[in-house]
Structures are given as C-alpha cells and as structure tokens.
Amino acid sequence: MKGTYLGEFEEVVLLAVAIRTGDAYGAAVVDEIEQQLGRPVNLGAVHTALHRLEEKSLVKSEMGGVTSERGGRRKRLYNVTATGRRALEETRQLRNQMWNNIPKIAWS
C-alpha cells in the first residue's frame, strides 16, 4: 500500500499494539515488546513510533479514564485501524513470499 511502508521498529510496535488490544498505551507497549523480543526498549522511541503510526492512520488513539495508579492522569490508548491490519497482513505476506523464494541451495 502506498504511504504505509513499515520500518522494522514500527512493525514491532504495531504488532505490540495489536497484541495489547484494549490496553495498548506507551508503557504497556514497551512491556510487550520487551517480553516478546527479550531486549530493552526505550519508551521515547515507542512514543515516537506510535506518533508516526498515527500519522499514517495505522493506529488511532483516545484518552482512557482517570486512574489512581497514575495519580489521576489519563492514559492515551492506541488501537490498530483497518488500514493498520492490512499493512501488517501485507508485510507478513511479503516476508513469507521472500522466505519461500530462498533456494534450498542457499541453506547448504
């Protein structure tokens, strides 16, 4: 899809948002990525990626309710859009196609 190119980190963040559906806010996305990849992730980098993904209309955000655990502050919650789902599906399709086209001799 034109204009929906996903960089590797954007793809990982978008996948984490999809996994955390209903509870995808910055820190939760960081936790998910760290759990899935087994490596540390910078919260600022995640926020930057979420902002880019929202600009590309791959995620949408809304403010959640007030919580006492955050001292009365609200969380910005993210959800994958239909466009975001299509971008993830196309990315997976492309990767699978490329993997399937590696000649067996390349693994010898």
Side-chain angles (χ1 to χ4, degrees):
M1 279 191 292
K2 187 176 181 180
T4 57
Y5 170 78
L6 287 175
E8 179 186 3
F9 190 67
E10 287 178 328
E11 180 183 353
V12 168
V13 171
L14 189 55
L15 286 166
V17 171
I19 291 168
R20 298 296 296 245
T21 297
D23 188 38
Y25 59 97
V29 171
V30 167
D31 291 344
E32 189 63 42
I33 294 169
E34 289 180 344
Q35 179 183 337
Q36 294 286 336
L37 300 183
R39 64 180 193 211
V41 178
N42 181 285
L43 178 62
V46 168
H47 278 293
T48 299
L50 287 168
H51 181 71
R52 281 195 313 261
L53 292 168
E54 193 161 24
E55 285 179 340
K56 294 178 180 183
S57 299
L58 302 178
V59 299
K60 63 179 179 175
S61 70
E62 60 185 27
M63 295 304 290
V66 174
T67 62
S68 60
E69 69 187 29
R70 293 176 45 86
R73 294 190 338 246
R74 297 166 50 174
K75 296 176 188 173
R76 179 166 295 278
L77 300 171
Y78 293 86
N79 285 298
V80 178
T81 64
T83 303
R85 282 192 301 278
R86 281 193 304 276
L88 282 173
E89 288 168 5
E90 288 179 8
T91 299
R92 178 172 54 181
Q93 235 177 359
L94 176 62
R95 287 181 189 271
N96 289 342
Q97 177 183 330
M98 291 182 75
W99 273 101
N100 292 335
N101 286 323
I102 296 173
K104 296 214 182 285
I105 196 166
W107 300 111
S108 301

